[in-house]
Amino acid sequence: MKWKSWWSLRHWSHIFRRTLPLLTSGEIPFTDKLLLVVPALLYWVLPDVLPWIPIDDMAVTMLLMDWFVTRAERKIPKA
């Protein structure tokens, strides 16, 4: 992926629009869904470097969402 697309609003709007439908889809294996949810929850719950400032938590969650959507769309093309 090009670095330029990471800063694109179009890229992130696509990620945010596709994450929830892919999480609720029956076509995506449950284990793939856990690969997004479990690390994100653990990162939000466990103590971190910047307590009371959730910017790093949000950044890690967004990176996990990007990875999940890319992986899921490779398995199941967008309808």
Side-chain angles (χ1 to χ4, degrees):
M1 175 186 292
K2 296 180 184 177
W3 282 103
K4 187 176 181 180
S5 69
W6 274 58
W7 298 104
S8 167
L9 235 51
R10 176 179 280 168
H11 171 75
W12 288 108
S13 68
H14 171 75
I15 297 300
F16 283 110
R17 276 184 280 131
R18 292 291 293 157
T19 300
L20 190 59
L22 288 170
L23 279 173
T24 57
S25 172
E27 298 178 39
I28 305 297
F30 186 69
T31 54
D32 287 354
K33 295 173 187 178
L34 286 178
L35 288 173
L36 167 66
V37 174
V38 171
L41 285 176
L42 285 176
Y43 199 87
W44 277 80
V45 172
L46 296 176
D48 57 19
V49 179
L50 300 171
W52 303 293
I53 302 174
I55 292 174
D56 61 326
D57 298 342
M58 289 184 276
V60 169
T61 303
M62 288 175 63
L63 291 174
L64 284 168
M65 288 169 52
D66 182 44
W67 174 80
F68 172 74
V69 169
T70 304
R71 178 183 167 96
E73 285 183 344
R74 264 190 270 132
K75 289 184 175 190
I76 309 294
K78 184 169 64 167

